[in-house]
Amino acid sequence: MRNAILAALCVVAAAVLLDACASLPKKSLTGPLVIAQQGSFFVGGRDVHSETLSTLPNFAPIGTITVDQIYVHYQIPVDARHHPITLVHGCCLTGKTWETTPDGRMGWDEYFVRKGYPIYVIDQAGRGRSAANPSIIDAVKLGKTPPDQLPAIFSAGHEAAWVIFRFGPEYPKTFPGMQFPLEAQTEFWKQMVPDWNPSLPTPNPTVPALSELALRLNGTVLVSHSQSGIYPFQTAALSTKGIAGIIAIEPAACPNANGDLQPYTKMPILVLFGDYVDQSPRWAPRLKACREFVEATNNAGGRGELVMLADIGMPGASHMVMHDKRSLEVAEWLSAWIERKLEQ
Amino acid sequence: MRNAILAALCVVAAAVLLDACASLPKKSLTGPLVIAQQGSFFVGGRDVHSETLSTLPNFAPIGTITVDQIYVHYQIPVDARHHPITLVHGCCLTGKTWETTPDGRMGWDEYFVRKGYPIYVIDQAGRGRSAANPSIIDAVKLGKTPPDQLPAIFSAGHEAAWVIFRFGPEYPKTFPGMQFPLEAQTEFWKQMVPDWNPSLPTPNPTVPALSELALRLNGTVLVSHSQSGIYPFQTAALSTKGIAGIIAIEPAACPNANGDLQPYTKMPILVLFGDYVDQSPRWAPRLKACREFVEATNNAGGRGELVMLADIGMPGASHMVMHDKRSLEVAEWLSAWIERKLEQ
């Protein structure tokens, strides 16, 4: 008992010391990581009755499952002093995107925790640890539903992803100076998972779930990537409550510049793009549309910014900015942007 | 620069203090959690060429994907002083199993870290953050493959899972004194995901991946649950190297008592069951078979134990032992078992 009290006091003393450390301006990116609280939970979800949950004798076909929820993993540093950040991965990927880079360096999840941000990493609805619904697949297997009704589940092959992620103009060529750690590409390909998104309702269930999460966090910066780029904007269109800011990393889409822009005038917005965009028929028009959106939003009274990493001294960024060799430089710049736009 | 040095020194001082805390016998389950290192990586995996990765115009159908790897998330406490533990979830679930309980209490993942164990939580191959292969689904959708060739993907409905997880004899009746936090069942159902296992190769790719992980960790306790119960044994049959011990929590299968038991004589083995097993036509024969396996292994020179939680003062355990209201009591008992069997 005495030892337990001593141990508790000892940890409290260490925590007080660490808290004092935190008041020093520069946060350490090495050494022990001190977490006040961590864990995981789900947001959203709905019950679905199905008669084709299984084609196996030992699992009943009839029953209720819960789908459309999002898995959320969080860490809150002991010296949290910034807005919480919610990290939303892109196509064919999961929350793993934000963790350890393919070449084994610290991910943005830990970086921001070390900088004093509570971090919430999600798996989009229907992917990773967020359940998909196999009912139609089993209905087709059982001959109850025609094959063309199967969900359009797809995987991005290495060769296609190579071009989409702008490692180079075509597989396996690389853009000169490109910063993605290609020496670790075999580890990177293992991150990619089948994407069920085309089979999900519209708006994607991740959107209302992000809204619920933002309300619960009472003010979070929604950070999207690629295919999820439109989600924080769609979330803001549902309700701007709880959204402290939006950072769209290489969004596949921005809201229509000719649509209702009022929701997007309520918070600071950053649209961030890497390099070689003009050389990509897929990305060049997206960049153009995002430029038009930001300009229109600012004309409507908004506080939007579109930044090309090459223009701020960080050339060579691929689409996987959070994995690039300069990933932590970019994260540091983002942290400064958040402090400048949201906290001054 | 001066501030950076001060901050670094400050954190080092705090770490030294925390390390001193750690030398006190009783580890704290509250207060800040101090992590020396955390992150995630993949083990295993193989490249597959496919011509049906997609049915969508904007994603190429032809290409290479990587499948059969397992996602591994780890945390190493600053004062690690035990064998690493590898946590392997069961059917229709993911690594989330071991995190925060449905009613919001600390999961076994954090508990063991706080007790000084490095913890490795995996997602089984083909599930969660470990990629599945959608090629056959797309081939059937495109009319290239007959529907009966579809993978047997299944989800366990709430009603079926209720009985399998022994919340009660039939849905929605409960066993008297049953310890699962049913008040949080809606959060629990959200953990369940479609299970692709029947469509995976034999042995399940999780098995060789666990072997590779065990070698890398140079001695780990493999903790399985339910459907994964047989995997650590299959891993040991591949190679006993790196396997410091096996803990099978409510295994759906134990090795055949009449088979080659030599691999299982090389390490301490614990088979742990909860309550109400005799009232379950699904589980009673499995328990019986595991008893026979443990007895036969011990007759062959092994060090196996089969423990019923009710017999050691913890009645009322459901199949989801790590979520039950007594979850941390069970974890504490497991920690003592590991210390007793592996470290004395």
Side-chain angles (χ1 to χ4, degrees):
Chain A
M1 183 60 190
R2 188 171 152 271
N3 276 328
I5 293 169
L6 269 178
L9 284 174
C10 192
V11 168
V12 167
V16 167
L17 181 55
L18 273 160
D19 201 46
C21 305
S23 68
L24 293 166
K26 185 79 179 176
K27 306 283 298 174
S28 174
L29 294 184
T30 54
L33 172 67
V34 188
I35 302 294
Q37 208 188 329
Q38 69 175 13
S40 59
F41 57 88
F42 292 89
V43 181
R46 66 189 168 95
D47 284 355
V48 172
H49 176 79
S50 170
E51 301 197 347
T52 53
L53 292 176
S54 164
T55 58
L56 302 169
N58 52 342
F59 284 93
I62 299 177
T64 310
I65 58 172
T66 308
V67 295
D68 291 355
Q69 61 275 14
I70 60 170
Y71 167 79
V72 185
H73 188 272
Y74 71 98
Q75 288 193 310
I76 303 173
V78 77
D79 52 353
R81 55 190 184 141
H82 293 297
H83 284 86
I85 294 178
T86 302
L87 296 168
V88 187
H89 63 84
C91 159
C92 322
L93 296 163
T94 70
K96 161 64 186 165
T97 298
W98 310 101
E99 298 175 352
T100 314
T101 66
D103 57 340
R105 290 169 295 113
M106 185 188 298
W108 282 11
D109 64 335
E110 181 170 331
Y111 175 86
F112 282 107
V113 169
R114 286 182 178 272
K115 294 284 281 189
Y117 294 85
I119 287 293
Y120 294 76
V121 176
I122 76 153
D123 281 354
Q124 286 191 33
R127 220 177 317 160
R129 291 175 171 180
S130 303
N133 183 350
S135 295
I136 297 177
I137 298 169
D138 286 334
V140 173
K141 190 173 172 70
L142 294 166
K144 294 183 174 183
T145 301
D148 63 356
Q149 299 298 305
L150 281 168
I153 307 171
F154 68 100
S155 286
H158 305 174
E159 301 84 353
W162 183 281
V163 179
I164 297 171
F165 296 164
R166 300 203 310 284
F167 298 158
E170 62 182 273
Y171 182 82
K173 290 182 186 166
T174 54
F175 287 122
M178 198 276 304
Q179 294 288 309
F180 185 86
L182 281 175
E183 69 277 14
Q185 64 177 285
T186 56
E187 175 76 3
F188 174 64
W189 302 129
K190 295 178 185 178
Q191 291 196 17
M192 305 196 71
V193 300
D195 192 317
W196 294 60
N197 264 4
S199 71
L200 298 182
T202 303
N204 187 293
T206 300
V207 172
L210 283 176
S211 187
E212 192 181 328
L213 179 62
L215 281 170
R216 195 190 290 197
L217 298 182
N218 198 26
T220 181
V221 182
L222 294 175
V223 178
S224 66
H225 178 237
S226 193
Q227 163 258 332
S228 73
I230 196 69
Y231 294 170
F233 296 113
Q234 290 176 336
T235 306
L238 284 181
S239 166
T240 57
K241 276 188 192 157
I243 306 179
I246 292 176
I247 297 178
I249 311 286
E250 295 246 334
C254 285
N256 190 322
N258 301 313
D260 174 16
L261 300 173
Q262 277 310 304
Y264 319 125
T265 63
K266 309 295 184 198
M267 72 282 293
I269 289 171
L270 171 67
V271 178
L272 191 72
F273 271 95
D275 218 334
Y276 320 108
V277 178
D278 290 344
Q279 296 171 63
S280 164
R282 194 180 197 100
W283 289 102
R286 294 171 172 180
L287 170 61
K288 182 169 174 286
C290 283
R291 276 198 202 284
E292 290 164 3
F293 159 71
V294 169
E295 195 183 333
T297 301
N298 288 347
N299 288 339
R303 292 162 288 161
E305 261 187 280
L306 188 145
V307 172
M308 305 298 294
L309 280 169
D311 292 345
I312 55 170
M314 292 184 266
S318 78
H319 181 59
M320 299 306 297
V321 183
M322 71 295 290
H323 294 170
D324 283 348
K325 289 176 185 173
R326 275 206 187 90
S327 61
L328 295 191
E329 260 182 82
V330 178
E332 189 180 357
W333 187 89
L334 289 173
S335 174
W337 186 89
I338 293 171
E339 288 190 41
R340 197 164 66 239
K341 297 288 177 176
L342 276 75
E343 299 174 4
Q344 278 178 358
Chain B
M1 183 59 192
R2 190 174 150 272
N3 275 328
I5 293 167
L6 269 177
L9 284 175
C10 193
V11 168
V12 167
V16 168
L17 181 55
L18 275 159
D19 202 47
C21 305
S23 68
L24 291 166
K26 183 81 179 175
K27 305 284 300 174
S28 174
L29 294 183
T30 55
L33 172 67
V34 187
I35 301 294
Q37 209 189 329
Q38 68 175 12
S40 59
F41 57 89
F42 293 89
V43 180
R46 65 189 169 98
D47 285 355
V48 172
H49 177 80
S50 170
E51 302 198 347
T52 54
L53 292 176
S54 164
T55 58
L56 303 169
N58 53 341
F59 285 92
I62 299 176
T64 310
I65 57 173
T66 308
V67 295
D68 292 354
Q69 63 274 16
I70 61 170
Y71 167 80
V72 185
H73 189 273
Y74 71 97
Q75 287 193 310
I76 302 172
V78 77
D79 52 352
R81 54 189 185 140
H82 293 296
H83 285 85
I85 293 178
T86 302
L87 296 168
V88 187
H89 63 82
C91 160
C92 321
L93 295 162
T94 70
K96 160 65 185 164
T97 299
W98 310 101
E99 298 176 352
T100 314
T101 66
D103 57 341
R105 290 171 294 113
M106 184 190 299
W108 281 10
D109 64 335
E110 181 171 331
Y111 175 86
F112 282 107
V113 170
R114 285 182 179 271
K115 293 284 281 189
Y117 294 85
I119 287 293
Y120 294 77
V121 176
I122 77 152
D123 281 355
Q124 285 190 33
R127 220 176 318 158
R129 291 174 171 180
S130 304
N133 182 351
S135 295
I136 296 178
I137 299 170
D138 286 335
V140 174
K141 189 173 172 71
L142 293 166
K144 294 183 175 184
T145 301
D148 63 358
Q149 298 299 304
L150 281 168
I153 307 171
F154 68 100
S155 287
H158 304 175
E159 301 83 352
W162 184 281
V163 179
I164 297 172
F165 296 165
R166 300 203 312 282
F167 298 158
E170 62 182 276
Y171 181 83
K173 291 183 186 165
T174 54
F175 287 121
M178 197 276 305
Q179 295 287 309
F180 186 86
L182 281 175
E183 69 278 13
Q185 64 178 284
T186 56
E187 175 76 3
F188 174 63
W189 302 129
K190 295 178 185 178
Q191 291 196 17
M192 304 196 71
V193 299
D195 192 316
W196 295 59
N197 265 4
S199 71
L200 299 183
T202 303
N204 188 293
T206 300
V207 171
L210 284 176
S211 187
E212 192 180 328
L213 179 63
L215 281 171
R216 195 190 291 198
L217 299 182
N218 197 26
T220 181
V221 181
L222 294 176
V223 178
S224 66
H225 178 237
S226 192
Q227 164 258 331
S228 72
I230 196 70
Y231 293 171
F233 296 112
Q234 291 176 335
T235 306
L238 283 182
S239 166
T240 58
K241 276 188 193 159
I243 307 179
I246 292 177
I247 296 179
I249 310 286
E250 293 244 334
C254 284
N256 191 322
N258 301 314
D260 173 15
L261 300 173
Q262 276 310 306
Y264 318 125
T265 62
K266 309 295 184 199
M267 72 282 294
I269 289 172
L270 172 67
V271 178
L272 191 73
F273 271 95
D275 218 335
Y276 319 109
V277 178
D278 289 344
Q279 297 172 62
S280 164
R282 196 181 196 97
W283 289 102
R286 293 171 172 181
L287 171 60
K288 182 168 174 286
C290 284
R291 276 199 202 285
E292 289 163 3
F293 159 70
V294 170
E295 195 184 331
T297 300
N298 288 349
N299 287 340
R303 292 162 286 162
E305 261 187 280
L306 188 145
V307 172
M308 305 297 296
L309 281 168
D311 293 344
I312 54 170
M314 292 184 267
S318 78
H319 181 60
M320 299 306 297
V321 183
M322 70 296 290
H323 294 170
D324 284 348
K325 290 175 185 174
R326 275 206 187 91
S327 60
L328 295 191
E329 258 182 82
V330 177
E332 190 181 356
W333 187 89
L334 288 174
S335 173
W337 185 90
I338 292 171
E339 289 190 41
R340 195 163 67 240
K341 298 287 176 175
L342 276 75
E343 299 173 4
Q344 279 179 357

